Amino acid sequence: MNDLNQSTLDHPQVVGQRTPRIDGEFKLTGRAGYTGELSVEGMLYGYPVAATIAHGTLERLDLDEALAMPGVVDIFHHANFPRLHRSPNSMGHGDQVSEVRLPFEDERIYYHGQYVALVVAESFAQARAAAQRVVARYRQETGAISSLLDGAHDSHTEGELLEDAGTTRGDPEAAFDRAAVKVDAVYHIAAESHLQMEMHATLAEWRDGGSRLVVHESSQGVFYQRNAMARIFDLAQENIEVISHYIGSGFGNKLFMWPHAVAAAGAARELGRPLKLVLPRAQDMTGGGNRPASRQRLRLGADRDGRLSAVIHDSTTETSLVDRYVDACGSATPSFYACDNLAVSQRILALNHGTPCPMRAPGEVSGIFALETAMDELAVALQMDPVELRLRNYAHEDPESGLPWSSKQLDKCLHSAAERFGWAQRDPGIGAMRDGDEIIGYGMAACTWFAGRQPCQARVELRADGTLFAACGTQDIGTGTYTIVAQTVAELTGVAVADIEVKLGETSLPTGPLSGGSMATATTLPAVAAAVRDALSALKEVATGHGGVFAGVDADSLTVAEGALSDGERSYRFAEVLEAMRLSSVNGQGSSAPGEEKKQYSFRSFGAHFVEMRVDPGISRVRVSRVVSSMDIGRAINPPTARNQVEGGIVMGIGMGLFEKLDYDPRDARLINANVADYIVPVHADIPEIDVELLDYPDFKFNEFGARGVGEIGLTGIAPAISNALYHATGKRYRDLPVTIEALLADHASA
Ligand code: MOS
């Protein structure tokens, strides 16, 4: 029986239980309708022409041949694309974009892959063929900045120091100078592609004589795109609808709108016809966002017992010449370990790339690589077990804010994962563990990701046909949001998940959060729950009112169970309650927002990864042979999909550690490997048995569901665990990612 208070969720029946994805059948049968698959009457196709230089000016476009090709309707470029406004690009006002420069704004070329024209034709094939016949003449300039890591930018004084992105406590420099044991090391991480399965895609349609814009977009944030488009096209928000029902993942590059969507909507308006634009993979990789390369210097000082006395974390990350993206590498560092003297600084260096953007655990995943590798280096210097070093510096409250943690079980993660991994059998000697030709290395790292919430609204309907309907304008980016919303409604009503319809991903629905920052679950479910309760109150009023099935009964005395209202003696199904009053449905609205709890507690998820590496020195081969992880994420609403997020993060972390790297030509800053053949990601054969444990400590101080979110944390900590295991196997400290076969061969040759 549900009595609809917090204790319900202490002993939930559906929440926290394995629940098959309610959208699974649609996806498996191809009926899910991803943006790139949609078509509408009279639709045109757009195909961008992308700059083949990274630095210079577009001097001329020869369009005659392309315009004469079959099916070509028009070609847009700087001289004929409509003049639009920029979005204010404000996170606070919800109109943030990924790259604030508008398409075709001027003829300056800032990066390889920048759109110089948009070909529009009757079919996709015609648009693509014509785009290949557009001849662009450039004046290429020398001096393109190709990469933070190209050897020309070694100084830690280069780039713009962001004063408000840093933090200092105590006197870290003096404490470091005095420290008995020190680590001072520099770490480099290559730029990476999100390589999400579904490319960026837009279908733009102007209705009502061009006064109303409807956009389908593969988006992690439909409201942000709507608000930005309202600014860019100078329309009222009510006259724009952005829809994103299914998303083939995003990992952050679909949080905020990119220029291709503006190009599509602008061209559709000019031509008075709907237009679809799906970026080809190469353009998606050059101009659709990436994780920027980073260079980090970590200084750790400790006493001989391993207690940290100084942590100094200085980072520089890349941005573009047309926007300012900050990948805040040091943002987890102040809260990670107990240490009185700490400094974090952040610089950005603008170069000739498309604008970088958040990529799964943005900033922190890079920062934790540096911090957790440095901690391993400190453990070696102290001759201390790395798990023990982490426990010795355990932060029992948030050392940055001084607030208590809402719930922190990192110690249990460390112990449990170590136990399951068999860490106690580790021989700490370098290369001491062997199996035939292979050297076995054991490495570990702790990991973390912040827990946040956004404001959210939701609507729920109880219908006379016995079904329930729940709606929220957040998105399901493949993580299982549809299903956990249905679970929430099922939990609070006792109606079967199969009888609950969920609608997400439309700006016509109540305002929902970004599907990002691992915030969607903790944000959305409390609003849905509030809407369910509101709808049940409405139903009880109907039931107890004149002519109702419980006429005259006190509404507060009614209880809810298994889709029915009961007064203890009689029970009526929701549908019967509605039928009796000839109602088709009752509605409930709900909202939720972060509140006072933020002043009382610090909220973070934590975890631990243990990795076994096998190194065959004869052929310079390394592979990850085991991963054992424990995660403290609060409650997992749907354990299989939650575990799946951590497993996916681990796979991505193996890519970060060993394979993934965007290669920019140092001569002219062109991205060389903008395709899935040359950009190397792990395949099944690279992925070992992954053992993920989700600890079950619901965080009720964060929200009534106890969930902190799980989309990102699994990626953090994997790359350092790999690097630390490689050190254990080889005695060589790998501080640059990815640790490629080339790097291993070079070490082998010089050894
Ligand atoms: Mo995530 S980088 O907030 O999609």
Side-chain angles (χ1 to χ4, degrees):
M1 178 179 289
N2 290 319
D3 54 1
L4 301 186
N5 58 35
Q6 181 169 310
S7 67
T8 303
L9 293 165
D10 281 344
H11 303 287
Q13 305 297 308
V14 188
V15 161
Q17 302 300 314
R18 178 188 188 93
T19 308
R21 291 172 189 261
I22 62 171
D23 52 339
E25 186 187 331
F26 290 109
K27 289 183 169 176
L28 277 173
T29 55
R31 285 179 291 155
Y34 292 84
T35 302
E37 302 172 322
L38 303 177
S39 62
V40 294
E41 185 73 21
M43 186 176 82
L44 294 165
Y45 293 80
Y47 198 99
V49 178
T52 54
I53 66 164
H55 187 39
T57 309
L58 175 65
E59 293 214 305
R60 214 177 79 214
L61 284 170
D62 295 337
L63 303 177
D64 291 352
E65 187 187 352
L67 280 167
M69 288 176 68
V72 173
V73 174
D74 209 340
I75 300 176
F76 291 94
H77 47 87
H78 171 61
N80 67 355
F81 191 72
R83 296 296 96 176
L84 301 169
H85 306 273
R86 284 187 171 194
S87 173
N89 195 18
S90 153
M91 184 71 187
H93 290 117
D95 53 24
Q96 185 155 348
V97 292
S98 282
E99 185 172 294
V100 71
R101 182 183 181 275
L102 295 168
F104 322 123
E105 211 175 60
D106 54 37
E107 288 170 322
R108 189 77 206 149
I109 303 299
Y110 301 95
Y111 60 90
H112 170 221
Q114 178 182 322
Y115 309 128
V116 296
L118 177 73
V119 176
V120 180
E122 297 289 346
S123 77
F124 174 77
Q126 289 168 331
R128 181 175 58 183
Q132 286 160 355
R133 298 300 176 90
V134 169
V135 181
R137 315 246 178 228
Y138 302 97
R139 185 161 47 76
Q140 185 168 5
E141 294 169 26
T142 56
I145 309 172
S146 72
S147 167
L148 180 65
L149 310 180
D150 64 5
H153 307 280
D154 277 344
S155 152
H156 286 283
T157 59
E158 203 165 355
E160 178 189 349
L161 180 65
L162 303 174
E163 299 290 353
D164 52 1
T167 183
T168 301
R169 61 178 187 245
D171 189 349
E173 297 281 348
F176 181 74
D177 286 344
R178 282 197 308 268
V181 184
K182 299 179 193 187
V183 170
D184 182 353
V186 175
Y187 305 86
H188 298 116
I189 305 173
E192 279 189 63
S193 175
H194 300 71
L195 216 76
Q196 78 289 352
M197 191 173 288
E198 180 204 22
M199 267 97 54
H200 288 294
T202 309
L203 166 54
E205 184 178 7
W206 293 82
R207 294 189 188 155
D208 304 341
S211 62
R212 217 163 69 77
L213 172 61
V214 178
V215 182
H216 289 265
E217 178 87 29
S218 183
S219 169
Q220 296 176 244
V222 291
F223 282 94
Y224 287 76
Q225 175 154 350
R226 180 200 66 179
N227 298 349
M229 283 194 139
R231 298 281 145 270
I232 290 167
F233 289 96
D234 195 16
L235 284 172
Q237 289 178 352
E238 304 79 72
N239 291 329
I240 302 180
E241 193 174 330
V242 178
I243 302 166
S244 198
H245 289 153
Y246 295 98
I247 297 113
S249 75
F251 306 123
N253 69 348
K254 295 174 180 170
L255 289 169
F256 310 112
M257 181 173 66
W258 292 93
H260 72 268
V262 179
R269 188 173 67 178
E270 293 303 296
L271 297 170
R273 289 174 65 181
L275 187 146
K276 183 163 78 177
L277 190 166
V278 181
L279 287 187
R281 180 63 74 180
Q283 292 183 11
D284 196 292
M285 291 177 78
T286 50
N290 57 57
R291 169 182 288 142
S294 57
R295 186 193 52 220
Q296 302 175 69
R297 182 183 182 195
L298 235 303
R299 279 173 283 170
L300 302 179
D303 66 19
R304 302 227 174 261
D305 293 329
R307 286 195 175 73
L308 287 166
S309 56
V311 174
I312 306 173
H313 189 171
D314 300 309
S315 307
T316 309
T317 56
E318 299 172 333
T319 187
S320 73
L321 295 165
V322 295
D323 210 323
R324 292 160 54 83
Y325 173 69
V326 182
D327 210 47
C329 295
S331 58
T333 304
S335 300
F336 214 129
Y337 292 111
C339 181
D340 292 337
N341 304 294
L342 172 139
V344 164
S345 77
Q346 175 77 39
R347 290 172 183 273
I348 52 173
L349 181 71
L351 34 68
N352 295 87
H353 292 185
T355 308
C357 69
M359 178 169 148
R360 207 173 197 177
E364 295 195 1
V365 68
S366 304
I368 289 167
F369 168 68
L371 179 61
E372 285 298 283
T373 310
M375 285 294 279
D376 200 72
E377 301 193 45
L378 183 62
V380 170
L382 290 159
Q383 296 184 294
M384 181 180 288
D385 184 283
V387 177
E388 174 58 25
L389 178 64
R390 282 153 176 95
L391 292 169
R392 206 159 280 198
N393 291 286
Y394 201 81
H396 292 281
E397 56 178 28
D398 183 343
E400 183 63 7
S401 65
L403 294 173
W405 300 109
S406 58
S407 170
K408 176 179 177 178
Q409 318 297 336
L410 173 58
D411 50 349
K412 296 182 187 68
C413 292
L414 288 163
H415 291 306
S416 174
E419 170 81 26
R420 280 168 20 254
F421 183 82
W423 184 256
Q425 280 82 59
R426 174 182 187 257
D427 179 335
I430 301 295
M433 297 168 66
R434 288 180 179 263
D435 180 11
D437 289 339
E438 291 182 321
I439 311 169
I440 295 172
Y442 282 5
M444 59 78 57
C447 65
T448 183
W449 179 250
F450 85 97
R453 291 168 63 190
Q454 293 187 306
C456 182
Q457 297 171 350
R459 191 177 82 234
V460 165
E461 285 173 25
L462 310 181
R463 294 162 165 169
D465 66 1
T467 65
L468 271 68
F469 172 76
C472 176
T474 190
Q475 307 71 211
D476 187 332
I477 56 173
T479 49
T481 309
Y482 280 111
T483 308
I484 61 172
V485 169
Q487 287 177 267
T488 300
V489 177
E491 182 68 48
L492 298 177
T493 60
V495 170
V497 164
D499 291 327
I500 296 164
E501 181 190 345
V502 180
K503 199 160 200 182
L504 306 176
E506 296 186 17
T507 53
S508 59
L509 304 175
T511 310
L514 284 173
S515 298
S518 302
M519 293 188 291
T521 297
T523 295
T524 304
L525 300 194
V528 171
V532 172
R533 290 177 182 130
D534 191 41
L536 289 171
S537 298
L539 188 73
K540 288 176 183 176
E541 258 176 58
V542 166
T544 55
H546 181 68
V549 292
F550 288 114
V553 174
D554 174 15
D556 293 336
S557 71
L558 296 177
T559 56
V560 176
E562 292 173 19
L565 294 183
S566 170
D567 66 356
E569 289 168 17
R570 296 169 301 157
S571 175
Y572 291 96
R573 306 196 60 74
F574 298 165
E576 294 173 310
V577 176
L578 293 168
E579 292 288 356
M581 299 301 286
R582 296 187 174 208
L583 293 173
S584 66
S585 63
V586 288
N587 264 293
Q589 322 274 342
S591 65
S592 73
E596 289 298 301
E597 76 278 4
K598 286 175 72 175
K599 295 183 192 146
Q600 296 161 1
Y601 300 99
S602 268
F603 301 96
R604 263 190 183 275
S605 287
F606 289 92
H609 294 296
F610 287 74
V611 166
E612 179 187 277
M613 301 286 295
R614 286 175 176 257
V615 179
D616 185 337
I619 54 174
S620 284
R621 188 181 70 175
V622 303
R623 59 194 176 92
V624 180
S625 45
R626 272 193 311 138
V627 180
V628 176
S629 307
S630 286
M631 294 289 139
D632 166 34
I633 55 157
R635 171 182 282 154
I637 303 298
N638 191 4
T641 50
R643 186 174 300 108
N644 183 240
Q645 284 302 305
V646 178
E647 290 166 349
I650 289 168
V651 171
M652 200 179 247
I654 291 172
M656 181 183 186
L658 299 179
F659 302 106
E660 297 188 46
K661 175 183 200 293
L662 289 167
D663 274 316
Y664 294 89
D665 191 322
R667 296 167 302 178
D668 58 10
R670 286 177 55 208
L671 179 57
I672 300 163
N673 59 342
N675 60 72
V676 183
D678 295 317
Y679 181 86
I680 311 298
V681 291
V683 298
H684 280 293
D686 298 307
I687 302 302
E689 201 58 38
I690 295 173
D691 168 9
V692 172
E693 173 191 44
L694 304 175
L695 298 186
D696 187 22
Y697 290 87
D699 189 346
F700 293 124
K701 296 193 173 79
F702 191 44
N703 58 73
E704 62 179 306
F705 288 84
R708 277 198 304 265
V710 64
E712 288 161 292
I713 186 170
L715 173 55
T716 69
I718 282 292
I722 287 173
S723 168
N724 297 342
L726 279 174
Y727 176 82
H728 178 225
T730 67
K732 158 87 184 169
R733 187 58 74 176
Y734 290 94
R735 299 189 183 93
D736 296 356
L737 297 183
V739 185
T740 58
I741 188 82
E742 290 85 349
L744 293 158
L745 282 166
D747 291 334
H748 196 57
S750 66

